[in-house]
Amino acid sequence: MPPHAPKDRQNLSYALRSGFAGGVAACVAKTVVAPLDRVKILFQASNPDFQKYAGTWSGTFRAISQIYGDNGIRGLLQGHSATLLRIFPYGAIKFMAYDQLEAILMPTRESQTNLRRFSAGALSGITSVFFTYPLELIRVRMAFSTRNSSHSPEGYHRPSFLSAMRQIYREGTAPSPTPSSPAPTPAPTATPATTSIFTRFPILKFYRGFSVTITGIVPYAGTSFLAWGFLRSRFLPPSSSRAGPKPATPLADLSIGAVSGGLAQTVSYPFEVVRRRMQVGGLTRPDRWIRWGETVRAIWAARGWRGFYVGLSIGYLKVVPMTAVSYAVWQWQRRILGL
């Protein structure tokens, strides 16, 4: 790394270009895997219409076929508009924060330890999640809605971004129709204190599952950036000549990104399953805050330890190419923008 690089990263122009590159990379990567992303949410959140497909690779493609048969391409991309609204700032903040933290924690190649790589990645993930989580919750609610699970008395309708946002905001303010299927997370009656919190601070409704998300993003983002930095240092070492380090190719970026994504997904997946269940909890228990303990117990009671890995195969199918494309496009954008 050139000696002037850390100083260059501290100026506003560099930070904005870095954020733009990260945002574009995240949008491209998410679009590539959007159909798989919706199916994974349906599996993780135990949507009753799709539980028969969960657990097998063939079931993943049969679920995609059913969604396409019912609603066409729009069904496969349901919730994707909310995804793009969230993922651009998420990717921008994450990669921009990592660039800044890398300059602070690892100003020289000698200081690039695995612990510092993990710490920089985890902190960048936490920062991006904090600012974009409400958009993530809206996106999950849009993707979770299906023809038979809709609570609308008029029948199924494809939820829009604004309608999903209004539904979340109004949860707990009036009695909700009884769901047509059993609640995935049984829970006792809401306490007045919980209802009072939602009434006084409605913004909290947009942070269902936030605590488990923060806990899960630490191993996910930390492991992802750790693997990315370590593998690049191992397979793309600095050159002994003055020409600088060995230049990366798009294939190298894709390969290293794919391995990074697979490792990060394996480490953090149980947290993701718990998070999805808590995020859709407002549909079945809109009057109360769904807690970690009861969600974990419900998953364990229903399927044991395997319940925490429901949809992992589709998770690999989605996260590996998504992470590969994300890192590759990020590096491509950095080269174009002179970063």
Side-chain angles (χ1 to χ4, degrees), residues 259-287:
V259 174
S260 302
L263 290 173
Q265 180 76 345
T266 303
V267 170
S268 64
Y269 195 78
F271 295 99
E272 188 173 351
V273 173
V274 175
R275 172 169 62 107
R276 295 299 189 205
R277 294 285 290 270
M278 294 176 71
Q279 285 176 329
V280 301
L283 294 174
T284 55
R285 299 293 305 185
D287 56 342

Side-chain angles (χ1 to χ4, degrees), residues 56-320:
T56 65
W57 288 82
S58 61
T60 298
F61 294 104
R62 281 186 289 167
I64 290 176
S65 297
Q66 178 177 324
I67 295 171
Y68 181 79
D70 289 342
N71 299 291
I73 293 295
R74 291 182 64 188
L76 294 175
L77 297 178
Q78 184 169 304
H80 191 56
S81 58
T83 296
L84 294 180
L85 285 174
R86 178 193 71 93
I87 204 63
F88 184 88
Y90 173 84
I93 294 171
K94 181 179 73 171
F95 285 114
M96 179 172 61
Y98 183 79
D99 261 342
Q100 298 299 312
L101 289 166
E102 185 182 43
I104 295 171
L105 299 176
M106 298 171 282
T108 65
R109 287 197 174 272
E110 293 71 24
S111 64
Q112 292 181 350
T113 65
N114 288 333
L115 177 59
R116 292 182 180 183
R117 290 183 182 117
F118 182 92
S119 299
L123 289 172
S124 65
I126 290 172
T127 303
S128 58
V129 166
F130 178 79
F131 287 105
T132 61
Y133 188 81
L135 294 172
E136 160 71 359
L137 179 61
I138 295 170
R139 192 270 300 202
V140 169
R141 292 295 187 85
M142 292 175 68
F144 182 75
S145 179
T146 60
R147 185 176 303 276
N148 293 331
S149 65
S150 174
H151 297 181
S152 171
E154 293 82 14
Y156 175 76
H157 69 281
R158 183 178 294 106
S160 67
F161 181 87
L162 290 178
S163 66
M165 185 170 67
R166 284 195 297 267
Q167 180 185 20
I168 294 171
Y169 186 82
R170 292 169 181 170
E171 284 171 357
T173 59
S176 300
T178 302
S180 58
S181 58
T185 307
T189 306
T191 63
T194 304
T195 304
S196 176
I197 290 175
F198 281 141
T199 302
R200 293 173 58 190
F201 305 105
I203 190 65
L204 291 179
K205 299 174 185 178
F206 292 90
Y207 280 85
R208 291 181 183 271
F210 181 70
S211 59
V212 72
T213 300
I214 287 294
T215 304
I217 199 64
V218 170
Y220 180 82
T223 300
S224 180
F225 278 107
L226 163 61
W228 169 258
F230 173 78
L231 292 173
R232 282 177 66 86
S233 68
R234 179 61 60 91
F235 294 105
L236 300 171
S239 173
S240 56
S241 66
R242 292 185 178 181
K246 179 180 178 181
T249 63
L251 180 59
D253 290 335
L254 284 169
S255 301
I256 294 174
V259 174
S260 302
L263 290 173
Q265 180 76 345
T266 303
V267 170
S268 64
Y269 195 78
F271 295 99
E272 188 173 351
V273 173
V274 175
R275 172 169 62 107
R276 295 299 189 205
R277 294 285 290 270
M278 294 176 71
Q279 285 176 329
V280 301
L283 294 174
T284 55
R285 299 293 305 185
D287 56 342
R288 65 186 304 275
W289 188 273
I290 305 300
R291 301 182 184 277
W292 271 63
E294 64 186 284
T295 305
V296 170
R297 286 193 297 271
I299 295 172
W300 180 268
R303 306 191 65 170
W305 67 268
R306 290 182 178 85
F308 295 97
Y309 290 92
V310 170
L312 180 58
S313 59
I314 190 176
Y316 285 132
L317 195 62
K318 188 202 84 165
V319 168
V320 169

